[in-house]
Amino acid sequence: MRNIGFIGCGNMGGAILNGILKAGLLAPEHIFIHTATPAKREELAAKLHVCAVNSNREVVENTDLIILAVKPYLFDEVFAQIKEALSEDKVLISVAAGQSLANMEKLSSAETKIIRTMPNTPASVGEGMSAVTPNKNCTQKDIEETMAIFTSFGKAEIIPEHLMDAVPAVSGSSPAYIFMLINALCDGAVRDGMSRSMALTFAAQAVLGSAKMVLESGIHPEQLKDMVCSPGGTTIEAVAKLEEKGFRDAVLAGMKACTNRLKEMNS
């Protein structure tokens, strides 16, 4: 694994950094970081033993794989600082939503190796889901190293760029829907007499276990649902009521609203 740099190290950048270190992909002395706040980068350097530098350009000059983890509105400013240091052998990995490969090539150059990614917040607990899209300049080695980084804190899939607009609704934003579901399950259990803390454990573990069954069993979710629904039993009664109240339609409508909003923001 080549040297890795971080431009920005907030929630998502920090999750990626921790994933790399926990997986042992690279020794801390081969990781260079810069954040806008000096105290933050000094704290990270002291805690994680990574190399904190004084500018974004220094990050690029000292590394081969550069993870760009700043807000999209800062892109013009950051690219102006690093453009001249982005030699053709370096790989720029962006985690910014809505920033296309074409736009980043315009801000750097048509020859720059760029990989667009979209991880989600469960990366912070090692269970992230990331979409990865390399541009035409990237080599197989560039892609493999990037995939090693993004699978260090969860799962990752390479997708064509035109599918990136579908990712927020199903992965990037969907943890919020799941948290709403868990909270609703807790409310129902509390109504039936369970303590809030106990209800939270039951609900969250049920969601975790159900997700694991989908990923590990290879069985379609509809079949897994049928396996829980005994004829004339309690589960099918609950499922019927959820369908009556528009559970599935509400989820689909929320996802479409998410995608539509993304397209508005990028237009």
Side-chain angles (χ1 to χ4, degrees), residues 12 16 67-68 72 93-101 104 115-123 127-134 146-147 150 153 155-175 258-259 262-263 266:
M12 189 55 67
I16 297 171
I67 296 173
L68 186 56
I93 303 168
S94 170
V95 299
Q99 289 293 319
S100 68
L101 292 173
M104 288 185 279
I115 300 181
R116 180 181 174 186
T117 71
M118 192 178 296
N120 63 4
T121 56
E127 293 293 349
M129 182 68 223
S130 303
V132 177
T133 298
T146 300
M147 290 299 284
F150 283 81
F153 55 85
K155 298 182 181 297
E157 292 283 347
I158 298 173
I159 67 170
E161 189 174 23
H162 74 270
L163 290 180
M164 274 291 186
D165 281 352
V167 173
V170 71
S171 176
S173 299
S174 64
C258 178
T259 301
L262 178 69
K263 289 178 178 179
N266 294 339

Side-chain angles (χ1 to χ4, degrees), residues 9-150:
C9 213
N11 291 337
M12 189 55 67
I16 297 171
L17 174 57
N18 284 323
I20 292 169
L21 293 173
K22 285 181 179 178
L25 291 182
L26 204 61
E29 59 265 29
H30 295 290
I31 299 174
F32 293 75
I33 66 166
H34 179 262
T35 64
T37 308
K40 176 68 179 292
R41 60 179 179 264
E42 290 168 9
E43 176 188 346
L44 287 170
K47 180 181 177 182
L48 303 176
H49 308 295
V50 296
C51 303
V53 294
N54 295 317
S55 70
N56 293 326
R57 185 182 177 104
E58 284 184 76
V59 170
V60 177
E61 290 172 342
N62 284 282
T63 60
D64 309 290
L65 304 168
I66 301 101
I67 296 173
L68 186 56
V70 298
K71 300 296 184 184
Y73 72 86
L74 292 171
F75 263 44
D76 287 2
E77 177 184 339
V78 170
F79 271 91
Q81 296 168 358
I82 68 174
K83 182 177 179 179
E84 298 305 319
L86 283 172
S87 55
E88 292 182 12
D89 60 322
K90 296 181 185 291
V91 184
L92 190 64
I93 303 168
S94 170
V95 299
Q99 289 293 319
S100 68
L101 292 173
N103 184 56
M104 288 185 279
E105 288 169 2
K106 182 179 178 181
L107 290 170
S108 53
S109 80
E111 289 72 43
T112 305
K113 295 180 178 182
I114 301 173
I115 300 181
R116 180 181 174 186
T117 71
M118 192 178 296
N120 63 4
T121 56
S124 64
V125 292
E127 293 293 349
M129 182 68 223
S130 303
V132 177
T133 298
N135 74 355
K136 64 183 183 301
N137 302 323
C138 294
T139 67
Q140 188 60 34
K141 179 182 179 181
D142 299 331
I143 296 168
E144 288 175 358
E145 289 187 324
T146 300
M147 290 299 284
I149 291 170
F150 283 81

Side-chain angles (χ1 to χ4, degrees), residues 182-196:
I182 291 172
N183 193 46
L185 291 170
C186 286
D187 286 346
V190 170
R191 183 176 61 183
D192 287 339
M194 190 176 284
S195 72
R196 175 67 60 176

